[in-house]
Coordinates of all heavy atoms in Angstrom, one line a residue:
A64 N 8.7 83.2 99.7 CA 9.6 83.6 100.8 C 9.0 83.2 102.1 O 7.9 83.5 102.5 CB 9.7 85.1 100.7
S65 N 9.8 82.4 102.8 CA 9.4 81.9 104.1 C 9.9 82.8 105.2 O 10.7 83.6 105.0 CB 10.0 80.5 104.3 OG 11.4 80.5 104.4
I66 N 9.3 82.6 106.4 CA 9.7 83.5 107.5 C 9.8 82.6 108.8 O 8.9 81.7 109.0 CB 8.7 84.6 107.8 CG1 9.2 85.6 108.8 CG2 7.3 84.1 108.1 CD1 10.2 86.5 108.3
E67 N 10.9 82.7 109.5 CA 11.2 81.9 110.7 C 11.6 82.8 111.8 O 12.5 83.6 111.7 CB 12.3 80.9 110.4 CG 12.0 79.7 109.5 CD 10.9 78.8 110.0 OE1 10.8 78.7 111.3 OE2 10.2 78.2 109.3
P68 N 10.9 82.8 112.9 CA 11.3 83.6 114.1 C 12.6 83.3 114.6 O 13.0 82.1 114.6 CB 10.1 83.4 115.1 CG 9.6 82.1 114.7 CD 9.7 81.9 113.2
L69 N 13.3 84.3 115.1 CA 14.6 84.1 115.8 C 14.4 84.2 117.3 O 13.8 85.2 117.8 CB 15.6 85.1 115.3 CG 16.2 84.9 113.9 CD1 17.2 86.1 113.6 CD2 17.0 83.6 113.9
G70 N 14.9 83.3 118.0 CA 14.8 83.3 119.5 C 14.5 81.9 120.0 O 14.5 80.9 119.3
P71 N 14.3 81.8 121.3 CA 14.0 80.5 122.0 C 12.8 79.9 121.4 O 11.8 80.5 121.1 CB 13.8 80.9 123.4 CG 14.6 82.2 123.6 CD 14.4 82.9 122.3
S72 N 12.9 78.6 121.1 CA 11.7 77.9 120.5 C 10.5 77.8 121.4 O 9.4 77.6 120.9 CB 12.2 76.4 120.1 OG 12.7 75.7 121.2
D73 N 10.7 77.9 122.7 CA 9.5 77.8 123.6 C 8.8 79.1 123.7 O 7.8 79.2 124.5 CB 10.0 77.3 125.0 CG 11.1 78.2 125.6 OD1 11.7 79.0 124.9 OD2 11.3 78.1 126.8
Q74 N 9.3 80.2 123.1 CA 8.6 81.5 123.2 C 7.6 81.6 122.1 O 7.8 81.2 120.9 CB 9.7 82.6 123.0 CG 10.7 82.7 124.1 CD 10.0 83.0 125.5 OE1 9.1 83.8 125.5 NE2 10.6 82.5 126.5
P75 N 6.4 82.1 122.4 CA 5.3 82.3 121.4 C 5.5 83.4 120.4 O 4.8 83.5 119.4 CB 4.1 82.5 122.2 CG 4.6 83.2 123.4 CD 6.0 82.6 123.7
C76 N 6.6 84.2 120.6 CA 6.8 85.4 119.8 C 8.2 85.8 119.8 O 9.0 85.2 120.5 CB 5.9 86.6 120.3 SG 6.4 87.1 121.9
S77 N 8.6 86.7 118.9 CA 10.0 87.1 118.8 C 10.0 88.5 118.2 O 9.1 89.0 117.5 CB 10.9 86.2 118.0 OG 10.5 86.2 116.6
Q78 N 11.1 89.2 118.4 CA 11.3 90.6 117.9 C 12.0 90.5 116.5 O 11.9 91.5 115.7 CB 12.1 91.5 118.8 CG 12.0 92.9 118.5 CD 12.6 93.8 119.6 OE1 12.8 93.3 120.7 NE2 12.9 95.0 119.3
K79 N 12.7 89.4 116.2 CA 13.4 89.2 115.0 C 12.9 87.9 114.2 O 12.4 87.0 114.9 CB 14.9 89.1 115.2 CG 15.6 90.3 115.8 CD 17.0 90.1 116.0 CE 17.7 91.2 116.6 NZ 19.2 91.0 116.8
A80 N 13.1 87.9 112.9 CA 12.7 86.8 112.1 C 13.6 86.8 110.9 O 14.0 87.8 110.4 CB 11.3 86.7 111.8
V81 N 13.8 85.6 110.3 CA 14.6 85.5 109.1 C 13.7 85.2 107.9 O 12.9 84.2 107.9 CB 15.7 84.3 109.2 CG1 16.4 84.1 107.9 CG2 16.7 84.7 110.3
V82 N 13.8 86.0 106.9 CA 13.0 85.8 105.7 C 14.0 85.1 104.7 O 15.1 85.6 104.5 CB 12.4 87.1 105.1 CG1 13.4 88.1 104.8 CG2 11.6 86.8 103.8
Q83 N 13.5 84.1 104.0 CA 14.4 83.3 103.0 C 13.7 83.1 101.7 O 12.5 82.8 101.7 CB 14.7 82.0 103.7 CG 15.7 81.2 102.8 CD 16.1 79.9 103.6 OE1 15.5 78.8 103.3 NE2 17.1 79.9 104.4
A84 N 14.4 83.4 100.6 CA 13.9 83.1 99.3 C 13.7 81.6 99.1 O 14.6 80.9 99.3 CB 14.8 83.7 98.2
R85 N 12.5 81.2 98.6 CA 12.1 79.8 98.5 C 11.7 79.5 97.0 O 11.3 78.3 96.8 CB 11.0 79.4 99.4 CG 11.4 79.4 100.9 CD 12.3 78.2 101.2 NE 12.6 78.0 102.6 CZ 13.2 77.0 103.1 NH1 13.5 76.0 102.3 NH2 13.5 76.9 104.4
L86 N 11.7 80.5 96.2 CA 11.2 80.3 94.8 C 12.0 79.2 94.1 O 13.2 79.2 94.2 CB 11.2 81.6 94.1 CG 10.3 81.8 92.9 CD1 8.9 81.6 93.3 CD2 10.6 83.1 92.2
T87 N 11.3 78.3 93.4 CA 12.0 77.2 92.7 C 12.2 77.4 91.3 O 13.0 76.7 90.6 CB 11.3 75.9 93.0 OG1 9.9 76.0 92.5 CG2 11.2 75.5 94.4
Q88 N 11.5 78.4 90.7 CA 11.6 78.7 89.3 C 11.9 80.2 89.1 O 11.4 81.0 89.8 CB 10.3 78.3 88.5 CG 10.0 76.8 88.5 CD 11.0 76.0 87.8 OE1 11.6 76.4 86.8 NE2 11.3 74.8 88.4
P89 N 12.8 80.5 88.1 CA 13.1 81.9 87.9 C 12.0 82.8 87.5 O 11.3 82.5 86.5 CB 14.2 81.8 86.8 CG 14.0 80.5 86.1 CD 13.4 79.6 87.2
A90 N 11.6 83.7 88.4 CA 10.5 84.6 88.1 C 10.6 85.7 89.2 O 11.4 85.7 90.1 CB 9.2 83.9 88.3
R91 N 9.8 86.8 89.0 CA 9.7 87.8 89.9 C 8.3 87.7 90.6 O 7.2 87.9 90.0 CB 9.8 89.2 89.3 CG 9.7 90.4 90.3 CD 9.7 91.7 89.6 NE 9.6 92.8 90.5 CZ 10.6 93.5 91.1 NH1 11.8 93.1 90.9 NH2 10.4 94.5 91.9
L92 N 8.3 87.3 91.9 CA 7.1 87.1 92.7 C 7.3 87.8 94.1 O 8.4 88.0 94.5 CB 6.8 85.6 92.9 CG 6.4 84.9 91.6 CD1 6.2 83.4 91.9 CD2 5.1 85.5 91.0
T93 N 6.2 88.1 94.7 CA 6.2 88.8 96.0 C 5.4 88.0 97.0 O 4.3 87.5 96.7 CB 5.6 90.2 95.8 OG1 6.3 90.9 94.9 CG2 5.6 90.9 97.2
S94 N 5.9 88.0 98.2 CA 5.1 87.4 99.4 C 5.1 88.5 100.4 O 6.1 89.3 100.6 CB 5.8 86.2 100.0 OG 5.2 85.8 101.1
I95 N 4.0 88.7 101.1 CA 3.8 89.7 102.1 C 4.1 89.1 103.5 O 3.5 88.0 103.8 CB 2.4 90.3 102.1 CG1 2.1 90.9 100.7 CG2 2.3 91.4 103.2 CD1 0.7 91.5 100.6
I96 N 5.0 89.6 104.2 CA 5.4 89.2 105.6 C 4.6 90.0 106.6 O 4.7 91.3 106.6 CB 6.9 89.3 105.8 CG1 7.7 88.5 104.7 CG2 7.2 88.7 107.2 CD1 7.4 87.1 104.6
F97 N 3.8 89.4 107.4 CA 3.1 90.1 108.5 C 3.7 89.7 109.9 O 4.1 88.6 110.1 CB 1.6 89.7 108.5 CG 0.9 90.2 107.3 CD1 0.3 89.4 106.4 CD2 0.7 91.6 107.2 CE1 -0.4 89.9 105.3 CE2 -0.1 92.1 106.2 CZ -0.6 91.2 105.2
A98 N 3.8 90.7 110.7 CA 4.2 90.6 112.1 C 3.2 91.2 113.0 O 2.9 92.4 112.9 CB 5.6 91.2 112.3
E99 N 2.5 90.3 113.9 CA 1.5 90.8 114.8 C 2.0 90.8 116.2 O 2.4 89.8 116.7 CB 0.2 89.9 114.6 CG -0.9 90.3 115.5 CD -2.1 89.4 115.5 OE1 -2.0 88.4 114.7 OE2 -3.1 89.7 116.2
D100 N 1.9 92.0 116.8 CA 2.3 92.1 118.2 C 1.3 91.4 119.1 O 0.1 91.7 119.0 CB 2.4 93.6 118.6 CG 3.0 93.8 119.9 OD1 2.6 93.2 120.9 OD2 4.0 94.6 120.0
I101 N 1.8 90.5 119.9 CA 0.9 89.6 120.7 C 0.2 90.4 121.9 O -0.7 90.0 122.5 CB 1.6 88.4 121.3 CG1 2.7 88.8 122.3 CG2 2.1 87.5 120.2 CD1 3.3 87.6 123.0
T102 N 0.8 91.6 122.2 CA 0.3 92.4 123.3 C -0.7 93.4 122.8 O -1.8 93.6 123.3 CB 1.4 93.1 124.1 OG1 2.3 92.1 124.6 CG2 0.9 93.9 125.2
T103 N -0.3 94.2 121.8 CA -1.2 95.3 121.3 C -2.0 94.9 120.1 O -3.0 95.7 119.8 CB -0.3 96.5 120.9 OG1 0.5 96.2 119.8 CG2 0.6 96.9 122.1
G104 N -1.7 93.9 119.4 CA -2.4 93.5 118.2 C -1.9 94.3 117.0 O -2.5 94.1 115.9
Q105 N -1.0 95.2 117.1 CA -0.5 95.9 116.0 C 0.1 95.0 115.0 O 0.9 94.1 115.3 CB 0.6 97.0 116.4 CG 1.1 97.8 115.3 CD 2.2 98.8 115.7 OE1 2.7 98.6 116.8 NE2 2.5 99.7 114.9
V106 N -0.1 95.3 113.7 CA 0.4 94.4 112.6 C 1.4 95.2 111.8 O 1.0 96.3 111.3 CB -0.8 93.9 111.7 CG1 -0.2 93.1 110.5 CG2 -1.7 93.0 112.5
L107 N 2.6 94.7 111.6 CA 3.6 95.3 110.7 C 3.7 94.5 109.5 O 3.4 93.3 109.4 CB 4.9 95.4 111.5 CG 4.9 96.0 112.8 CD1 6.3 96.0 113.4 CD2 4.4 97.5 112.8
R108 N 4.1 95.1 108.4 CA 4.2 94.5 107.1 C 5.5 94.8 106.4 O 6.0 95.8 106.4 CB 3.0 95.0 106.2 CG 3.1 94.6 104.7 CD 2.0 95.2 103.9 NE 2.2 95.0 102.5 CZ 1.3 95.0 101.6 NH1 0.0 95.2 101.9 NH2 1.6 94.9 100.3
C109 N 5.9 93.7 105.7 CA 7.1 93.9 104.8 C 6.9 93.1 103.5 O 6.4 91.9 103.6 CB 8.4 93.3 105.5 SG 9.9 93.3 104.4
D110 N 7.1 93.7 102.4 CA 7.0 93.0 101.1 C 8.3 92.3 100.8 O 9.3 92.9 100.7 CB 6.6 93.9 100.0 CG 5.2 94.5 100.1 OD1 4.5 94.0 101.0 OD2 4.9 95.5 99.4
A111 N 8.3 91.0 100.6 CA 9.5 90.2 100.3 C 9.4 89.8 98.8 O 8.5 89.0 98.4 CB 9.6 88.9 101.1
I112 N 10.3 90.4 98.0 CA 10.3 90.2 96.5 C 11.4 89.3 96.2 O 12.6 89.6 96.6 CB 10.4 91.6 95.8 CG1 9.3 92.6 96.3 CG2 10.3 91.4 94.3 CD1 9.6 94.0 95.9
V113 N 11.2 88.3 95.4 CA 12.2 87.4 94.9 C 12.3 87.6 93.4 O 11.3 87.6 92.7 CB 11.9 86.0 95.2 CG1 13.0 85.1 94.7 CG2 11.7 85.8 96.7
D114 N 13.5 87.9 92.9 CA 13.7 88.2 91.5 C 15.1 87.7 91.0 O 16.0 87.4 91.8 CB 13.6 89.7 91.2 CG 13.3 90.0 89.7 OD1 13.2 89.1 88.9 OD2 13.2 91.2 89.4
L115 N 15.3 87.7 89.7 CA 16.6 87.3 89.1 C 17.6 88.5 89.2 O 17.2 89.6 89.0 CB 16.4 86.9 87.7 CG 15.7 85.5 87.5 CD1 15.3 85.4 86.0 CD2 16.7 84.4 87.8
I116 N 18.9 88.1 89.3 CA 20.0 89.1 89.3 C 20.2 89.4 87.8 O 20.4 88.5 87.0 CB 21.2 88.6 90.0 CG1 21.0 88.5 91.5 CG2 22.4 89.5 89.7 CD1 22.1 87.9 92.2
H117 N 20.2 90.7 87.4 CA 20.4 91.1 86.0 C 21.9 91.5 85.8 O 22.4 91.3 84.7 CB 19.5 92.2 85.7 CG 19.6 92.6 84.2 ND1 19.1 91.9 83.2 CD2 20.1 93.7 83.7 CE1 19.3 92.5 82.0 NE2 19.9 93.6 82.3
G118 N 22.5 92.1 86.8 CA 23.9 92.6 86.7 C 24.5 92.8 88.1 O 23.8 92.9 89.1
I119 N 25.8 92.8 88.1 CA 26.5 93.0 89.4 C 27.6 94.1 89.1 O 28.1 94.3 88.0 CB 27.2 91.7 89.9 CG1 28.2 91.1 88.9 CG2 26.1 90.7 90.3 CD1 29.0 90.0 89.4
Q120 N 28.0 94.8 90.2 CA 29.0 95.7 90.2 C 29.8 95.7 91.5 O 29.3 95.3 92.5 CB 28.5 97.1 89.9 CG 27.5 97.6 90.9 CD 26.8 98.9 90.5 OE1 26.8 99.3 89.3 NE2 26.2 99.6 91.5
I121 N 31.0 96.2 91.4 CA 31.9 96.2 92.6 C 31.9 97.6 93.2 O 32.1 98.6 92.5 CB 33.3 95.8 92.3 CG1 33.3 94.3 91.8 CG2 34.2 95.8 93.5 CD1 34.7 93.9 91.2
V122 N 31.6 97.8 94.5 CA 31.6 99.1 95.1 C 32.6 99.1 96.2 O 32.9 98.1 96.9 CB 30.2 99.4 95.7 CG1 29.2 99.6 94.5 CG2 29.7 98.4 96.6
S123 N 33.2 100.3 96.5 CA 34.1 100.5 97.5 C 34.2 102.0 97.9 O 33.6 102.8 97.2 CB 35.5 100.0 97.1 OG 36.0 100.8 96.1
T124 N 34.9 102.3 98.9 CA 35.0 103.7 99.3 C 36.0 104.5 98.5 O 36.0 105.7 98.5 CB 35.4 103.8 100.8 OG1 36.6 103.1 101.0 CG2 34.3 103.2 101.7
T125 N 36.9 103.8 97.8 CA 38.0 104.4 97.0 C 38.5 103.4 96.0 O 38.3 102.2 96.1 CB 39.1 104.9 97.9 OG1 40.1 105.6 97.1 CG2 39.8 103.7 98.6
R126 N 39.1 104.0 94.9 CA 39.7 103.1 93.9 C 41.3 103.2 94.1 O 42.0 102.6 93.2 CB 39.4 103.6 92.5 CG 37.9 103.4 92.2 CD 37.6 101.9 92.1 NE 36.2 101.7 91.5 CZ 35.1 101.5 92.2 NH1 35.2 101.5 93.6 NH2 34.0 101.3 91.7

Side-chain angles (χ1 to χ4, degrees):
S65 63
I66 189 76
E67 291 293 334
L69 285 177
S72 58
D73 58 344
Q74 295 294 325
C76 61
S77 68
Q78 193 171 344
K79 298 180 181 181
V81 173
V82 58
Q83 185 177 93
R85 290 284 185 174
L86 203 59
T87 58
Q88 296 298 323
R91 181 183 177 91
L92 293 175
T93 301
S94 176
I95 301 174
I96 306 298
F97 288 115
E99 181 183 0
D100 192 307
I101 64 170
T102 301
T103 66
Q105 181 185 13
V106 176
L107 307 179
R108 167 180 170 160
C109 173
D110 293 348
I112 306 165
V113 181
D114 200 0
L115 286 166
I116 293 175
H117 183 74
I119 60 173
Q120 58 189 19
I121 300 172
V122 295
S123 66
T124 55
T125 181
R126 292 292 190 267

